[in-house]
């Protein structure tokens, strides 16, 4: 047979549990207790896995293959991030991280120090701000004196649903001319003057496109390369982008024109609220006809993404009961889209054979998303709901009955970032948060993602939080701080959701997601114990994409 063959031996080569096929009702039940199964060897030829199993059963070609001694390490399928933001992640890697700040004073000091050390940057871009850091609210003036050059300052909230600007940024954005948009807020004072905060649809409609417009093609390509490099370093070989737009897509295509992009990219086109929503869907349909499983299988437009509500920390997630905070005044949050607005968009996408992904965090938004999908999207299109942070038991059961993908991001369940939730929701509803165990037992297909850059993107950290419900950000937090540990996933279950489950959710399970004969040679070599509590000690040693090593071994790594 033609081509170079490599035989990997003396390791633990993970086999996805036999008979577990995402999409079949109840397919996850019992997986949390399933012990892992490992093969003795794996034969790779060129870009394909040729054999996985016992060495005694290996084909004759294995005798002539180059041998790699894994030295007892574990081989997992290449991770597929089930929900991330490619361009935003790449750009965020150069933004000031405010994630460790605890107050407005901390934020001001951090920005001031950066401004002094970086006198040549045209504007100051930050990320990681949380509303809980500034309980009194935010204003442009609170940032106006932290930089002696008075450069524009733009701060992304951790969840990317808001941008906080100083007065110089408001001038550069020409934000005084912006009109209110449905489902978004342009904060103004009693005199109608801009306060410097843009949330939800206003942020998506105005700030995101503006930031894209001031980034050169070279800068956008550099951001994508940086994101892919970061993903290779922690074991990813695939990603599902959940906010693709023209600027990012142009950059991806320009990068592909320059040569191979060593990452499997499946993208959902972001549909923004407005008068042209159906035209946006038509654009996604047009692109999907050009870039699909048949034409460009490793870089596809596969669906649309609609953000149906906001987030709990900002009290913009749509709830069925009022927020519990004393000053909520009966506020329940409102969906960014009404059902009447959402249905035509979903129907047009379905008619165009696109997948549908609906962001829904609050239980009212989740109910609406399930209602719309159940009525208008066939199960074979693998519809999905993103986040599902607060759900009721009735709707969880419907997820399984309808075969709707539960696209979940365990890193959002980290107890280190949920300190405000008891006050916002009340303890009784907090106990319903992140009900992953129920999703799995109801039979909903699981796709594990990170939502980067809103959260850490490392897949092993994500699996750690999902299986322990403890903090990755602050490992010193006690076991008693775990968030609803009765909803934890099993380790086998979480690994499958982060590999095969994510691949299945974007219709790529026929080529990636498992270590199996005939599939693409995408895999990761990890120094780890099969113990969820010890995952924070695990190290990714090598990442292989399409049969090629794209991330090198650690210093003094495995022998050849």
């Amino acid at each position: 047979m033609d081509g170079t063959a490599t035989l990997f031996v003396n390791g633990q080569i993970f086999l996805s549990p036999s008979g577990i096929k995402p999409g079949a009702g109840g397919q996850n039940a019992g997986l949390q207790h399933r012990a892992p199964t490992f093969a003795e060897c794996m034969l790779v030829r060129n870009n394909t896995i040729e054999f996985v199993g016992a060495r005694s059963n290996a084909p004759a070609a294995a005798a002539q293959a180059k041998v790699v001694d894994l030295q007892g390490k574990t081989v997992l399928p290449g991770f597929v991030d089930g929900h991330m933001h490619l361009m935003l992640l790449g750009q965020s890697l150069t933004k000031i991280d405010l994630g460790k700040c605890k107050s407005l004073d901390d934020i001001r000091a951090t920005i001031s120090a950066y401004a002094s050390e970086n006198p040549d940057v045209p504007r100051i871009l930050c990320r990681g701000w949380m509303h809980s850091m500034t309980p009194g609210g935010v204003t442009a003036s609170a940032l106006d004196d932290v930089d002696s050059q008075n450069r524009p300052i733009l701060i992304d909230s951790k969840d990317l649903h808001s941008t906080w600007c100083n007065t110089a940024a408001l001038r550069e954005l020409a934000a005084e001319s912006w009109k209110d948009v449905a489902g978004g807020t342009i904060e103004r004072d009693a005199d109608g003057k801009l306060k410097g905060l843009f949330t939800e649809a206003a942020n998506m409609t105005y700030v995101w496109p503006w930031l894209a417009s001031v980034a050169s093609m070279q800068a956008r390509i550099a951001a994508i390369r940086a994101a892919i490099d970061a993903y290779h370093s922690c074991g990813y070989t695939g990603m599902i982008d959940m906010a693709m737009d023209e600027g990012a897509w142009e950059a991806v295509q320009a990068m592909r024109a320059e040569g191979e992009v060593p990452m499997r990219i499946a993208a959902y086109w972001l549909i923004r609220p407005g008068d042209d929503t159906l035209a946006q869907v038509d654009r996604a349909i047009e692109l999907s006809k050009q870039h699909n499983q048949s034409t460009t299988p490793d870089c596809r437009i596969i669906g649309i993404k609609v953000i149906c509500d906001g987030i709990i920390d900002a009290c913009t997630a749509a709830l069925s009961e009022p927020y519990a905070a004393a000053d909520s005044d009966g506020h329940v949050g409102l969906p960014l889209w009404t059902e009447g607005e959402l249905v035509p968009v979903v129907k047009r996408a379905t008619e165009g054979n696109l997948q549908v992904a609906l962001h829904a965090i609050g239980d009212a938004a989740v109910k609406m998303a399930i209602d719309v999908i159940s009525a208008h999207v066939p199960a074979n299109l693998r519809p999905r709901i993103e986040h599902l942070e607060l759900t009721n038991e009735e709707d969880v059961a419907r997820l399984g009955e309808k075969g709707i993908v539960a696209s979940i991001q365990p890193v959002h369940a980290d107890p280190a970032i949920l300190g405000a939730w008891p006050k916002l929701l009340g303890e009784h509803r907090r106990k319903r948060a992140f009900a992953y165990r129920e999703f799995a037992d109801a039979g909903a297909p699981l796709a594990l993602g990170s939502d980067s850059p809103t959260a850490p993107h490392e897949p092993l950290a994500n699996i750690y939080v999902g299986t322990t419900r403890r903090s990755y950000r602050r490992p010193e937090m006690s076991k008693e701080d775990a968030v609803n540990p009765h909803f934890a996933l099993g380790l086998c279950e979480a690994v499958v959701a982060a590999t095969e489950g994510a691949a299945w959710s974007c219709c790529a399970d026929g080529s990636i997601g498992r270590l199996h004969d005939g599939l693409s040679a995408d895999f990761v070599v990890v120094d780890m114990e099969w113990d969820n509590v010890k995952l924070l000690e695990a190290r990714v040693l090598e990442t292989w994409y399409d049969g090629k090593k794209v991330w090198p071994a650690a210093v003094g790594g495995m022998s050849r």
Side-chain angles (χ1 to χ4, degrees), residues 413-542:
D414 190 315
I417 61 171
L418 300 179
W421 278 44
K423 176 184 176 183
L424 295 174
L425 294 178
E427 192 58 33
H428 69 293
R429 280 187 295 185
R430 182 181 181 274
K431 291 179 179 178
R432 290 288 315 161
F434 307 102
Y436 303 157
R437 172 80 272 121
E438 286 187 1
F439 303 166
D441 291 342
L446 300 183
L448 214 68
S450 72
D451 201 16
S452 71
T454 73
H457 58 262
E458 294 86 349
L460 295 174
N462 207 359
I463 292 170
Y464 171 81
V465 179
T467 58
T468 67
R469 309 293 287 224
R470 298 178 65 178
S471 179
Y472 164 70
R473 291 171 174 84
R474 291 175 54 197
E476 72 277 6
M477 293 182 73
S478 71
K479 185 176 180 179
E480 286 67 35
D481 292 317
V483 175
N484 297 340
H486 55 288
F487 287 148
L489 298 174
L491 183 49
C492 234
E493 184 175 43
V495 169
V496 170
T499 53
E500 183 183 7
W504 187 90
S505 75
C506 66
C507 302
D509 50 308
S511 57
I512 62 173
R514 294 179 295 145
L515 303 177
H516 193 274
D517 305 359
L519 299 191
S520 298
D522 292 4
F523 57 93
V524 57
V525 181
V526 186
D527 183 3
M528 65 177 290
E529 291 186 52
W530 197 266
D531 182 337
N532 61 347
V533 177
K534 295 183 179 180
L535 282 176
L536 296 185
E537 302 169 16
R539 293 184 302 130
V540 171
L541 301 179
E542 296 184 352

Side-chain angles (χ1 to χ4, degrees), residues 86-401:
L86 175 57
M87 178 65 73
L88 294 172
L89 170 63
Q91 293 173 329
S92 76
L93 296 175
T94 61
K95 293 182 180 181
I96 307 170
D97 185 3
L98 303 178
K100 294 183 179 180
C101 295
K102 296 181 179 180
S103 65
L104 176 60
D105 287 343
D106 289 347
I107 292 170
R108 286 171 48 83
T110 301
I111 296 174
S112 179
Y114 174 88
S116 299
E117 296 165 5
N118 295 271
D120 298 325
V121 299
R123 58 187 64 86
I124 297 172
L125 304 179
C126 311
R127 61 184 171 93
W129 158 62
M130 295 181 65
H131 294 270
S132 58
M133 298 173 185
T134 52
V138 298
T139 62
S141 60
L143 302 173
D144 284 345
D145 61 344
V146 298
D147 173 32
S148 62
Q149 297 185 50
N150 194 29
R151 287 168 286 184
I153 300 172
L154 294 92
I155 302 176
D156 295 334
S157 61
K158 182 185 73 68
D159 47 70
L160 299 180
H161 282 242
S162 302
T163 301
W164 169 20
C165 304
N166 70 345
T167 301
L170 295 177
R171 284 196 298 267
E172 188 175 32
L173 289 162
E176 288 287 358
S177 65
W178 292 352
K179 299 183 183 302
D180 292 337
V181 294
T185 302
I186 300 174
E187 289 208 357
R188 307 177 192 274
D189 63 19
D191 298 322
K193 183 179 179 181
L194 293 176
K195 294 179 67 175
L197 183 65
F198 306 95
T199 65
E200 305 301 349
N203 192 35
M204 288 184 285
T205 301
Y206 296 123
V207 183
W208 287 10
W210 182 84
L211 284 170
S213 72
V214 298
S216 66
M217 180 62 75
Q218 182 180 6
R220 282 180 276 164
I221 291 174
I224 292 171
R225 290 193 188 282
I228 290 174
D229 286 346
Y231 264 45
H232 283 163
S233 72
C234 55
Y236 286 112
T237 55
M239 55 175 61
I240 300 176
D241 184 282
M242 274 292 165
M244 188 58 69
D245 60 14
E246 296 288 357
W249 187 247
E250 288 174 3
V252 169
Q253 295 310 305
M255 186 174 170
R256 291 181 68 238
E258 295 178 358
E260 181 186 15
V261 178
M263 181 64 66
R264 306 194 194 278
I265 302 172
Y268 287 76
W269 201 255
L270 179 62
I271 307 301
R272 297 180 170 92
D275 298 330
D276 64 342
T277 54
L278 295 184
Q280 294 178 53
V281 178
D282 288 341
R283 175 59 172 157
I285 294 171
E286 175 190 7
L287 288 172
S288 72
K289 291 178 179 178
Q290 301 169 27
H291 305 277
N292 52 59
Q293 190 75 47
S294 299
T295 58
T296 56
D298 297 329
C299 188
R300 305 171 287 144
I301 298 293
I302 61 172
I304 63 162
K305 157 80 174 301
V306 180
I307 300 178
C308 294
D309 71 341
I311 62 165
I312 287 171
D313 291 275
C315 297
T316 52
L319 305 184
S320 59
E321 300 175 18
Y323 283 86
D327 58 353
S328 69
D329 296 324
H331 176 64
V332 294
L334 292 173
L336 304 184
W337 298 64
T338 66
E339 186 167 336
E341 293 166 337
L342 186 59
V343 166
V345 169
V346 169
K347 289 178 68 175
R348 180 70 66 90
T350 300
E351 291 164 359
N353 206 38
L354 290 179
Q355 291 184 257
V356 172
L358 303 181
H359 161 124
I361 284 180
D363 60 341
V366 170
K367 181 182 184 303
M368 180 180 72
I370 296 175
D371 288 346
V372 171
I373 288 173
S374 299
H376 302 290
V377 185
N380 67 298
L381 284 182
R382 304 184 187 183
R384 50 193 290 157
I385 298 179
E386 311 302 308
H387 308 307
L388 296 152
E389 293 186 4
L390 188 64
T391 54
N392 61 53
E393 294 181 14
E394 178 182 341
D395 286 331
V396 169
R398 292 202 295 155
L399 281 176
E401 292 168 3

